[in-house]
Amino acid sequence: MKDKDYYIVTTLCDKQEIANNISNALLDDKLVAGSQIFKVKSSYWWNGNIETKEEFKLEFRTREDKVDEIVKTIKSLHDYEASEISKTKIGCLTEEMKVWIDESVE
Amino acid sequence: MKDKDYYIVTTLCDKQEIANNISNALLDDKLVAGSQIFKVKSSYWWNGNIETKEEFKLEFRTREDKVDEIVKTIKSLHDYEASEISKTKIGCLTEEMKVWIDESVE
Amino acid sequence: MKDKDYYIVTTLCDKQEIANNISNALLDDKLVAGSQIFKVKSSYWWNGNIETKEEFKLEFRTREDKVDEIVKTIKSLHDYEASEISKTKIGCLTEEMKVWIDESVE
């Protein structure tokens, strides 16, 4: 049986309340095992201008089969018109980490 | 047609002004769609010693075909002798994210 | 000869002293070339509950052949029952970066 793949899913938002709502919803629905929220200074192109603001970067540890539903949940709670949501594949280096993610999302 | 690949390119520097210069130059030249700047505590081997200092970690969202020119720009603005520049492949999980990156770097 | 692969190895912990101990040990033993420590707000499933706390995220730049020993060192110094340790493959975009990692871990 093929080993399952694990991912970090990330998004960005500029309101602490929305960052917390997204994080809580994904944990409550057992779509992610853990979340980390970082404060960052963001600059980006939007509607032909470069905008700069304080944002929160959210990182979620999860398993491949939960990614689609995570995207749906983030989109439903986010207030950005075009929310940036991306995934990066990670290798779990301890068996406990796999067990922890598997048990958390099941 | 093969789908384009998207990356986060990162570098580290210890001066806020240089972090801002690099971020602004990459955005102005439409080489990246967005940048995030994080404060970190860094320790690393340099010339046979372990050094510790506050640094800024820069993350840039971009498309594969822009990476070479990003490296050139960072090197031209950085004050480190051997600047650390790396890339990590990301999967865009929303169509809007691809459109946003594509429109930002064209 | 196949090019060596380079990775970022990450872990999380909630005590500054342990974060520093892990970082120092990995550098002293020349298992990593550099470490970055970020402050994050973490929430995660643990023993059937969602816990929230301030944590430190540690990132280590290293080479493939050092990963197993890094895991052993982190486990020996960590105070978490099930420590999360993961790796993400990175592409080095400058020759100096490869040289720096290679020289640091040898």
Side-chain angles (χ1 to χ4, degrees):
Chain A
M1 199 180 75
K2 191 187 154 286
D3 233 37
K4 287 168 229 125
D5 285 332
Y6 297 88
Y7 283 92
I8 290 185
V9 173
T10 69
T11 192
L12 290 154
C13 74
D14 65 355
K15 294 185 189 67
Q16 179 122 41
E17 196 190 340
I18 289 181
N20 290 339
N21 288 349
I22 292 172
S23 173
N24 293 340
L26 294 175
L27 285 159
D28 284 343
D29 292 347
K30 297 181 87 45
L31 296 174
V32 305
S35 85
Q36 276 77 44
I37 302 181
F38 303 77
K39 286 186 189 166
V40 295
K41 186 186 151 200
S42 270
S43 304
Y44 50 88
W45 280 100
W46 190 245
N47 287 336
N49 296 303
I50 298 171
E51 314 225 341
T52 297
K53 57 168 72 159
E54 299 298 316
E55 284 193 310
F56 301 94
K57 184 186 177 189
L58 287 71
E59 285 190 358
F60 303 105
R61 274 126 189 83
T62 195
R63 208 177 55 196
E64 195 172 21
D65 54 297
K66 299 295 175 184
V67 170
D68 288 350
E69 218 176 324
I70 291 170
V71 174
K72 265 188 229 164
T73 301
I74 295 176
K75 281 186 155 192
S76 75
L77 294 169
H78 216 308
D79 66 335
Y80 281 9
E81 208 179 310
S83 47
E84 177 189 328
I85 313 174
S86 65
K87 65 174 180 180
T88 313
K89 198 174 164 175
I90 54 172
C92 294
L93 294 173
T94 63
E95 195 52 36
E96 309 96 86
M97 186 178 172
K98 289 188 193 181
V99 171
W100 166 68
I101 295 182
D102 286 343
E103 289 184 350
S104 298
V105 300
E106 257 152 29
Chain B
M1 200 180 76
K2 189 184 156 289
D3 234 37
K4 287 167 229 125
D5 285 332
Y6 297 88
Y7 284 92
I8 290 185
V9 173
T10 69
T11 191
L12 290 153
C13 75
D14 65 355
K15 293 185 189 68
Q16 179 122 42
E17 195 190 342
I18 289 180
N20 290 339
N21 287 349
I22 291 171
S23 174
N24 293 339
L26 294 175
L27 284 161
D28 284 343
D29 292 348
K30 297 181 88 45
L31 295 173
V32 305
S35 85
Q36 274 77 44
I37 301 181
F38 303 76
K39 285 185 190 166
V40 296
K41 186 186 150 201
S42 269
S43 303
Y44 51 88
W45 280 100
W46 190 245
N47 287 334
N49 295 302
I50 298 170
E51 316 226 341
T52 296
K53 57 168 75 158
E54 300 296 317
E55 283 192 312
F56 301 94
K57 184 186 177 192
L58 288 71
E59 286 189 357
F60 302 105
R61 274 126 189 83
T62 194
R63 209 175 55 196
E64 196 171 21
D65 54 297
K66 300 294 174 184
V67 170
D68 288 350
E69 218 176 324
I70 290 170
V71 174
K72 266 188 229 166
T73 300
I74 294 176
K75 284 186 153 192
S76 75
L77 294 170
H78 217 308
D79 66 336
Y80 281 7
E81 209 179 309
S83 46
E84 178 190 327
I85 314 173
S86 66
K87 65 174 180 180
T88 313
K89 197 173 165 177
I90 54 171
C92 295
L93 294 173
T94 62
E95 194 53 37
E96 308 95 85
M97 186 178 171
K98 290 188 192 180
V99 170
W100 167 66
I101 296 182
D102 285 343
E103 288 184 352
S104 298
V105 300
E106 259 152 27
Chain C
M1 200 179 76
K2 190 185 156 287
D3 232 36
K4 288 168 228 126
D5 285 333
Y6 297 88
Y7 283 92
I8 289 185
V9 173
T10 69
T11 192
L12 289 154
C13 75
D14 65 355
K15 293 185 189 68
Q16 179 122 42
E17 196 190 340
I18 290 181
N20 290 339
N21 288 349
I22 292 171
S23 173
N24 292 340
L26 294 175
L27 284 160
D28 283 344
D29 293 348
K30 296 181 90 41
L31 296 173
V32 305
S35 85
Q36 274 78 43
I37 302 181
F38 304 76
K39 286 185 188 164
V40 295
K41 186 186 151 200
S42 268
S43 303
Y44 51 88
W45 280 101
W46 190 245
N47 287 335
N49 296 302
I50 298 170
E51 315 226 341
T52 297
K53 57 169 72 159
E54 300 296 317
E55 284 193 311
F56 300 94
K57 185 187 176 190
L58 287 71
E59 286 189 357
F60 302 105
R61 273 126 190 83
T62 194
R63 207 176 55 194
E64 195 170 20
D65 55 297
K66 300 294 175 184
V67 170
D68 288 350
E69 219 177 322
I70 290 170
V71 173
K72 265 188 231 167
T73 302
I74 294 176
K75 282 186 154 190
S76 75
L77 294 170
H78 216 308
D79 66 337
Y80 282 7
E81 208 178 309
S83 47
E84 177 190 329
I85 314 174
S86 65
K87 65 174 179 179
T88 313
K89 198 173 166 178
I90 54 171
C92 294
L93 294 173
T94 62
E95 195 52 37
E96 308 96 85
M97 185 177 171
K98 291 188 191 180
V99 171
W100 167 66
I101 295 182
D102 285 343
E103 289 184 352
S104 299
V105 300
E106 259 154 27

